[in-house]
Amino acid sequence: QVQLVESGGSLVQPGGSLRVSCAASGFTFSNYYMSWVRQAPGKGLEWVSAIKTGGNITYYADSVKGRFTISRDNAKNTLYLQMNSLKPEDTALYYCAREIFWGHDAWGQGTQVTVSS
C-alpha cells in the first residue's frame, strides 16, 4: 500500500522555475531517503537528486547542481523539487522514488515537466 504521487509538472519557458511535489503514504516517510529520478524523451532513467531522512544532507546530479533544490517536509509526508533556471534539456517525466540500501523499491507515476518557448 505504499503510494507516491507526484504533482506540479507543467509547461515552463526556458529560464523559468517550477516546483514539483511528491505526496507519500502507506509507510513511515521520515525513515527513508528519497530521490527524484527523471526520464527524458527517448532516454533512459537519470537520477537527479536525493535527500537523507532529516533533510539536512542532499545530493545532486552534475546536470542540475546549482539550479535544483530537493527538500522534504516529514510532518506532511511530502517531498519537493524546486527547479530554477530551467533548460530545454530538463524536459522529462519526473518521478519520486523511495530509496532502499541498493536502489529504489517504490515509485510514483511521474509528473511531466516540459521546458520550451
Side-chain angles (χ1 to χ4, degrees), residues 8-20 38-41 63-64 67-68 81-94 111-117:
S10 68
L11 174 66
V12 60
Q13 66 183 23
S17 297
L18 193 68
R19 186 174 75 162
V20 293
R38 67 186 182 185
Q39 186 168 30
S63 58
V64 307
R67 300 187 297 120
F68 289 13
L81 185 68
Q82 176 68 46
M83 300 178 284
N84 298 328
S85 301
L86 282 161
K87 304 175 180 180
E89 56 260 42
D90 295 318
T91 295
L93 186 63
Y94 283 74
T111 188
Q112 180 66 43
V113 174
T114 301
V115 185
S116 176
S117 59

Side-chain angles (χ1 to χ4, degrees), residues 1-5 23-28 32 34 97-98 105-108:
Q1 65 182 29
V2 171
Q3 286 192 295
L4 299 169
V5 181
S25 61
F27 67 101
T28 305
Y32 288 85
M34 298 293 296
R98 187 176 75 171
D105 71 340
W107 299 72

Side-chain angles (χ1 to χ4, degrees), residues 6-9 17-22 34-38 46-51 58-61 64-65 67-73 78-84 86 90 93-96 111 113:
E6 300 93 337
S7 63
S17 297
L18 193 68
R19 186 174 75 162
V20 293
S21 302
C22 172
M34 298 293 296
S35 292
W36 287 99
V37 182
R38 67 186 182 185
E46 178 189 14
W47 172 82
V48 174
S49 185
I51 188 166
T58 57
Y59 306 89
Y60 299 93
V64 307
K65 192 172 181 65
R67 300 187 297 120
F68 289 13
T69 303
I70 190 172
S71 62
R72 65 193 297 161
D73 186 337
T78 303
L79 178 73
Y80 303 97
L81 185 68
Q82 176 68 46
M83 300 178 284
N84 298 328
L86 282 161
D90 295 318
L93 186 63
Y94 283 74
Y95 299 95
C96 65
T111 188
V113 174

